[in-house]
Amino acid sequence: MKRIALLLMALMLLGTAQTVTAQKKPVKRTTTTTPRKKPATTQSNQATESFVLGDGKLGPLNLGQTTASLPKKVAGLYDSYKIKTEEFGDMDDSWTETNCYFYKGGKAIFKALVNDNKRLESFTLDNGSSFIKTSEGFFVGGSARDLFSKKPMTWETWYTGTAFARKGHWEFHIPSDDLNGADFPAKLSDIKSTAKISMIVYYKSLPQ
């Protein structure tokens, strides 16, 4: 009996020793770090500012305004301007004009005729001025057929390489190369489907 008790005690001591010395294998904790996403960068597509030509005005510019009062630049309209006096001529005559050329991105995109009193007499829109529209929505580079259909005018040709029409304060030009064999358009089919308005002039008063 005593021997059995000693045996049980020995077994108990052995089990305790194994529990103390036994080391559990550490559990490796894994963590996943999700990188923060950078805020999506979006390039803002700023629409080109548009201007309306009509009622003797183009943006802050007015017919009758003196060249001395012109702003050096107008955001979105022009970066600079330069006044030039030039000689012009054709087969019948020659003349001198003073024009104020307005530049955007280094290119002259419209001009104003300057009279002897140094006041603006007319605005002429050229290539690169498509962001300037007339009060009726026409612009240089716009459809010539659309103009012909929506604005009835009498067309003629005085200038080499262009057909033109005048109405009210306006004068519109279409290149002769954009016509289907006609000197000037008398009907819609005389104008090529790809024809564009090449120049628009707004006069303080139409020349006689």
Side-chain angles (χ1 to χ4, degrees), residues 31-96:
T31 58
T32 303
T33 304
T34 304
R36 287 185 180 181
K37 290 184 179 180
K38 293 182 180 179
T41 55
T42 57
Q43 188 174 1
S44 59
N45 297 322
Q46 295 180 346
T48 302
E49 187 175 359
S50 60
F51 292 84
V52 176
L53 171 60
D55 296 325
K57 299 178 181 180
L58 173 51
L61 309 181
N62 295 275
L63 293 184
Q65 180 176 357
T66 63
T67 55
S69 66
L70 293 173
K72 289 185 178 180
K73 60 182 178 179
V74 175
L77 182 58
Y78 64 88
D79 306 324
S80 62
Y81 68 83
K82 186 180 292 184
I83 299 172
K84 299 180 182 179
T85 299
E86 303 165 293
E87 293 282 342
F88 294 93
D90 56 26
M91 294 176 64
D92 301 320
D93 198 5
S94 62
W95 64 94
T96 300

Side-chain angles (χ1 to χ4, degrees), residues 2-166:
K2 191 173 183 180
R3 189 178 294 177
I4 292 173
L6 290 173
L7 180 60
L8 289 174
M9 187 178 292
L11 288 173
M12 288 175 62
L13 289 173
L14 180 61
T16 303
Q18 286 179 347
T19 302
V20 172
T21 57
Q23 294 183 359
K24 290 186 178 180
K25 210 172 191 179
V27 177
K28 188 176 181 181
R29 298 180 64 185
T30 59
T31 58
T32 303
T33 304
T34 304
R36 287 185 180 181
K37 290 184 179 180
K38 293 182 180 179
T41 55
T42 57
Q43 188 174 1
S44 59
N45 297 322
Q46 295 180 346
T48 302
E49 187 175 359
S50 60
F51 292 84
V52 176
L53 171 60
D55 296 325
K57 299 178 181 180
L58 173 51
L61 309 181
N62 295 275
L63 293 184
Q65 180 176 357
T66 63
T67 55
S69 66
L70 293 173
K72 289 185 178 180
K73 60 182 178 179
V74 175
L77 182 58
Y78 64 88
D79 306 324
S80 62
Y81 68 83
K82 186 180 292 184
I83 299 172
K84 299 180 182 179
T85 299
E86 303 165 293
E87 293 282 342
F88 294 93
D90 56 26
M91 294 176 64
D92 301 320
D93 198 5
S94 62
W95 64 94
T96 300
E97 274 186 13
T98 299
N99 288 288
C100 183
Y101 291 87
F102 296 86
Y103 296 83
K104 186 176 184 180
K107 180 181 178 181
I109 57 172
F110 71 96
K111 67 181 179 180
L113 180 66
V114 180
N115 65 18
D116 294 338
N117 296 320
K118 298 183 179 180
R119 294 182 180 273
L120 307 187
E121 280 289 306
S122 65
F123 291 118
T124 299
L125 305 182
D126 289 313
N127 289 330
S129 65
S130 59
F131 65 96
I132 304 172
K133 294 179 170 58
T134 72
S135 49
E136 296 174 298
F138 302 117
F139 59 95
V140 172
S143 168
R145 281 193 163 194
D146 189 50
L147 170 66
F148 188 89
S149 300
K150 294 180 179 179
K151 193 174 182 69
M153 295 179 285
T154 300
W155 288 83
E156 51 190 309
T157 180
W158 284 352
Y159 309 105
T160 302
T162 183
F164 74 96
R166 290 172 173 168

